[in-house]
C-alpha cells in the first residue's frame, strides 16, 4: 500500500522522465540518419528559426510581413539565446519543456476528480502518441501549444475550487498564450466563461473578470507592438485572410457567401479528417519517420480510439468532463475551415488523453459491476477498432512520399527494409515499380545478385 501511494505521488515526475527519455531516443535514432537536420529555405520552420535567431540578437519581426505564432517565435528566440543558437540544443530544450505535458495531464486528472489511476492512464496514453512525440522535436508550435492548453484547463479547474483569484489569473495568462500560439483559440478560450457564469451555486463574476483581464493583458504587448507599426491590434495582421485563402483557394474571401457555402460543403470530409486514425501528413510525416525510427511503430495510439473513449468519460457526469468535452469540441469547431493536418490535432491531444483516461477507468468500473449499460460505451470503442483496422496508411500516402521513403532507406543501404516496404506497397495495391527496379539495380551494383533475384521473385509473386 505504501509503495502504491509513493508511486502515485511521484507518477507525474515518472511521466516527465519517460517522455524526455523516449524523445531523446527518437532524436538519437533519427539524427544518426540525418532526419533532424536544419530546415531548408522555403520551409515554415526555416522562416520561424530565422526570426527566432534575430530575436536572440535583439531584432523583432516586422508586423504584417511575419505571419507566424508570436508566442512560439518568442519561445524559440529564448531557446536560441540560451543555447547560443545551437539547433540541436534547442530541440532538446524544447523536448524538456514539452515533457511537462504528461505531468500536467496527470495533475489535471487529479484536480478534475477523475482519480490518480485515470491520470496515470491518461499520461501513458500521451506517451504512446508517437505523432506528438515526433513533433515535440521539430520547430513547430503544436507540442508547446498542447502544454499551454492542458495547463489552461488545470488552472481553470483549480480556480473553480477556491475563492482565491490567482488561479483565474493564471488561467487567463495561459488563455492568452494559447491565442498567441494559434488565432483559432480566440473563440475557444471564451468557452470557460460559461463555467464561471453558470455554476451550480452562484455566478463568479470576479473570477470571470480576472480571467478575461489577464488574457487581454497577455495579448497587450503583441497587440500594442502591432498597433504601433500597422495600426492594427490583431495578433497577426492580415493572417486571417492569408490562412483562409491558403486552405480554401485564392480569392475565395472576395465572395463571402460562396466562401461560407464552400466551407459548409466540406464539413463532412473535415470531420472525418479530424477523427481519422490516419495522420494526414504535412511537412513532417509520421509514416516516413517510423520506417527509420522503429520506436515510432510502437508509439502508435490512434486518435480515433481517444475520441471513442470520450463517450464513456461523459457518463461520469462530472463538471470537469463537461469542460473538457466543451473545449475539445470548441477547438475542433474552430478548425472547420481548415484542411486537418495531423499537427493541427496535437494541441487538443492532452485533453483527449484526459477524457480517455477517465473513460477507460469508467469502463473498467462498469465491467466490474456487470452493468448492462457498459455496452453503450463499448460500441464506440468497437466501431473505432473497426475503422482503425480498415485504415491502410500506405494507400492514403502521396506517391511522392512513398517513393521518398524508399529512396531514403536505399541511400542508407537498408536494402532488406526497403524491400519489405516495397513489398507492403505492392500488397496494398500501390506498387512502386521504379523503387523496385532501383532496389534490384543497387543490389546488383553491390555484387549481391542472389538478393536481387530473391526480391525480383518476391515482387513478381506478390498478391
Amino acid at each position: 500500500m505504501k509503495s502504491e501511494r509513493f508511486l502515485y505521488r511521484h507518477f507525474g515526475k515518472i511521466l516527465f522522465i519517460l517522455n524526455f527519455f523516449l524523445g531523446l531516443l527518437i532524436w538519437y535514432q533519427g539524427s544518426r540518419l540525418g532526419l533532424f537536420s536544419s530546415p531548408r529555405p522555403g520551409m515554415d520552420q526555416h522562416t520561424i528559426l530565422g526570426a527566432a535567431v534575430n530575436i536572440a540578437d535583439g531584432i523583432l519581426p516586422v508586423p504584417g510581413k511575419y505571419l507566424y505564432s508570436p508566442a512560439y517565435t518568442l519561445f524559440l528566440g529564448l531557446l536560441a539565446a540560451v543555447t547560443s543558437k545551437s539547433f540541436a540544443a534547442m530541440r532538446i530544450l524544447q523536448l524538456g519543456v514539452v515533457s511537462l505535458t504528461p505531468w500536467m495531464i496527470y495533475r489535471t486528472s487529479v484536480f478534475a476528480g477523475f482519480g490518480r489511476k485515470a491520470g496515470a492512464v491518461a499520461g501513458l496514453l500521451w506517451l504512446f502518441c508517437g505523432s506528438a512525440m515526433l513533433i515535440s522535436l521539430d520547430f513547430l508550435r503544436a507540442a508547446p501549444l498542447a502544454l499551454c492548453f492542458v495547463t489552461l484547463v488545470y488552472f481553470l479547474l483549480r480556480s473553480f475550487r477556491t475563492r482565491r483569484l490567482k488561479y483565474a489569473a493564471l488561467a487567463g495568462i495561459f488563455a492568452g498564450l494559447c491565442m498567441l500560439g494559434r488565432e483559432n483559440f480566440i473563440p475557444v478560450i471564451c468557452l470557460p466563461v460559461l463555467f464561471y457564469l453558470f455554476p451550480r451555486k452562484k455566478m463568479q463574476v470576479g473570477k470571470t473578470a480576472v480571467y478575461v483581464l489577464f488574457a487581454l493583458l497577455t495579448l497587450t504587448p503583441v497587440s500594442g507592438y502591432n498597433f504601433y507599426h500597422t495600426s492594427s491590434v490583431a495578433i497577426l495582421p492580415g493572417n486571417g485572410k492569408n490562412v483562409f485563402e491558403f486552405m480554401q483557394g485564392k480569392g475565395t474571401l472576395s465572395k463571402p457567401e460562396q466562401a461560407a457555402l464552400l466551407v459548409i460543403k466540406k464539413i463532412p470530409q473535415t470531420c472525418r479528417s479530424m477523427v481519422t486514425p490516419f495522420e494526414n501528413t504535412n511537412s513532417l510525416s509520421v509514416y516516413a519517420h517510423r520506417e527509420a525510427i522503429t520506436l515510432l511503430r510502437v508509439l502508435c495510439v490512434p486518435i480515433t480510439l481517444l475520441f471513442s473513449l470520450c463517450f464513456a468519460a461523459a457518463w461520469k457526469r462530472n463538471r470537469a468532463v463537461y469542460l473538457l468535452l466543451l473545449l475539445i469540441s470548441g477547438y475542433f469547431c474552430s478548425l472547420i475551415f481548415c484542411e486537418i493536418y495531423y499537427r493541427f490535432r496535437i494541441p487538443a491531444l492532452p485533453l483527449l488523453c484526459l477524457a480517455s483516461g477517465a473513460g477507460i477507468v469508467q469502463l473498467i468500473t462498469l465491467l466490474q459491476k456487470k452493468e448492462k449499460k457498459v455496452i453503450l460505451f463499448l460500441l464506440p470503442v468497437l466501431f473505432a477498432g473497426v475503422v482503425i483496422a480498415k485504415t491502410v496508411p500506405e494507400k492514403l500516402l502521396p506517391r511522392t512520399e512513398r517513393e521518398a521513403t524508399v529512396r531514403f532507406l536505399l541511400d542508407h543501404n537498408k536494402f532488406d527494409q526497403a524491400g519489405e516496404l516495397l513489398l507492403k506497397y505492392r500488397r496494398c495495391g500501390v506498387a512502386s515499380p521504379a523503387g523496385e527496379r532501383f532496389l534490384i539495380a543497387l543490389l546488383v551494383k553491390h555484387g549481391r545478385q542472389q538478393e536481387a533475384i530473391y526480391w525480383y521473385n518476391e515482387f513478381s509473386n506478390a498478391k
Side-chain angles (χ1 to χ4, degrees):
M1 196 68 178
K2 287 184 179 180
S3 59
E4 185 178 355
R5 193 180 298 119
F6 177 85
L7 179 65
Y8 279 131
R9 184 182 300 170
H10 298 284
F11 203 79
K13 300 169 189 174
I14 294 170
L15 288 169
F16 169 80
I17 294 168
L18 283 173
N19 193 106
F20 189 66
F21 173 75
L22 290 172
L24 274 182
L25 194 56
I26 291 170
W27 175 78
Y28 174 73
Q29 290 181 346
S31 59
R32 288 180 64 195
L33 299 171
L35 285 176
F36 295 112
S37 56
S38 300
R40 299 185 302 276
M43 298 175 68
D44 288 350
Q45 296 95 314
H46 184 271
T47 306
I48 295 169
L49 277 174
V53 168
N54 286 338
I55 286 174
D57 292 331
I59 304 169
L60 295 176
V62 179
K65 294 183 179 179
Y66 182 79
L67 300 176
Y68 298 93
S69 165
Y72 185 60
T73 306
L74 288 169
F75 171 69
L76 282 185
L78 176 63
L79 295 188
V82 170
T83 62
S84 301
K85 304 170 188 175
S86 166
F87 290 165
M90 287 171 68
R91 288 186 198 274
I92 294 171
L93 267 183
Q94 176 173 286
L95 172 64
V97 173
V98 173
S99 294
L100 291 168
T101 304
W103 191 346
M104 288 307 303
I105 290 172
Y106 180 73
R107 287 177 62 83
T108 304
S109 180
V110 174
F111 273 93
F114 301 161
R116 294 184 182 274
K117 289 183 179 178
V121 172
L124 290 172
L125 283 172
W126 168 268
L127 294 184
F128 278 88
C129 294
S131 56
M133 199 68 67
L134 180 62
I135 213 166
S136 300
L137 292 162
D138 204 22
F139 298 116
L140 292 166
R141 58 188 164 181
L145 193 51
L147 175 61
C148 285
F149 200 11
V150 72
T151 307
L152 163 63
V153 176
Y154 172 76
F155 284 121
L156 281 172
L157 292 173
R158 295 209 67 169
S159 72
F160 295 157
R161 288 190 173 190
T162 178
R163 293 183 178 181
R164 289 187 292 180
L165 298 178
K166 71 172 184 178
Y167 294 117
L170 289 167
I173 290 170
F174 279 95
L177 289 175
C178 286
M179 290 188 286
L180 291 174
R182 280 189 72 93
E183 289 172 289
N184 69 290
F185 268 99
I186 294 173
V188 180
I189 65 95
C190 296
L191 296 175
V193 172
L194 298 174
F195 282 77
Y196 283 126
L197 295 182
F198 300 102
R200 284 171 292 184
K201 295 181 181 179
K202 60 179 180 179
M203 291 192 300
Q204 303 177 54
V205 179
K207 289 181 184 178
T208 307
V210 169
Y211 172 72
V212 174
L213 174 64
F214 275 83
L216 293 175
L217 285 175
T218 306
L219 297 179
T220 299
V222 173
S223 295
Y225 179 72
N226 290 341
F227 184 77
Y228 177 80
H229 287 279
T230 67
S231 299
S232 171
V233 295
I235 294 171
L236 290 172
N239 190 48
K241 179 182 177 183
N242 177 62
V243 171
F244 189 90
E245 293 193 343
F246 175 78
M247 293 292 176
Q248 301 296 333
K250 196 168 184 179
T252 47
L253 275 179
S254 60
K255 297 180 179 178
E257 299 84 2
Q258 291 186 9
L261 188 61
L262 188 64
V263 171
I264 292 168
K265 285 182 178 179
K266 289 183 177 179
I267 284 177
Q269 176 57 43
T270 305
C271 291
R272 283 195 293 270
S273 298
M274 289 175 181
V275 301
T276 177
F278 177 70
E279 302 285 7
N280 193 2
T281 57
N282 174 244
S283 78
L284 187 68
S285 171
V286 176
Y287 302 103
H289 281 73
R290 75 178 185 181
E291 295 301 331
I293 303 172
T294 53
L295 182 58
L296 289 175
R297 298 182 193 177
V298 180
L299 308 179
C300 58
V301 170
I303 198 170
T304 313
L305 180 63
L306 302 183
F307 274 110
S308 69
L309 288 164
C310 289
F311 290 92
W315 181 254
K316 287 183 72 68
R317 299 175 184 175
N318 182 309
R319 195 160 174 250
V321 169
Y322 298 148
L323 174 65
L324 276 180
L325 298 181
L326 182 65
L327 290 175
I328 291 167
S329 302
Y331 175 79
F332 283 105
C333 285
S334 73
L335 295 173
I336 204 69
F337 68 92
C338 296
E339 184 176 352
I340 308 299
Y341 303 120
Y342 85 85
R343 59 191 173 94
F344 290 1
R345 304 191 294 184
I346 299 296
L349 204 55
L351 276 62
L352 282 167
C353 289
L354 271 167
S356 298
I360 289 172
V361 171
Q362 184 66 29
L363 281 174
I364 292 171
T365 302
L366 291 173
L367 286 169
Q368 288 174 342
K369 292 181 178 179
K370 298 181 180 179
E371 294 274 4
K372 292 181 180 179
K373 59 194 168 195
V374 72
I375 191 65
L376 295 175
F377 305 117
L378 285 175
L379 285 175
V381 178
L382 293 173
F383 179 74
V386 172
V387 172
I388 293 164
K390 287 191 172 183
T391 302
V392 183
E394 288 73 22
K395 285 186 176 181
L396 301 172
L397 288 171
R399 178 183 59 82
T400 52
E401 183 170 328
R402 294 196 301 269
E403 292 181 351
T405 306
V406 172
R407 182 59 186 261
F408 173 84
L409 294 173
L410 293 175
D411 287 345
H412 289 84
N413 296 327
K414 295 180 176 290
F415 300 124
D416 289 342
Q417 196 172 336
E420 292 293 343
L421 186 58
L422 286 164
L423 199 57
K424 184 193 292 185
Y425 289 161
R426 182 166 283 277
R427 288 169 175 164
C428 290
V430 287
S432 174
E436 294 168 2
R437 289 193 295 270
F438 191 39
L439 168 62
I440 292 168
L442 279 178
L443 288 171
V444 171
K445 181 180 177 180
H446 283 78
R448 299 162 68 167
Q449 283 80 2
Q450 290 296 324
E451 291 181 50
I453 293 169
Y454 169 79
W455 284 115
Y456 174 82
N457 291 330
E458 286 291 309
F459 298 144
S460 300
N461 298 326
K463 295 181 180 180

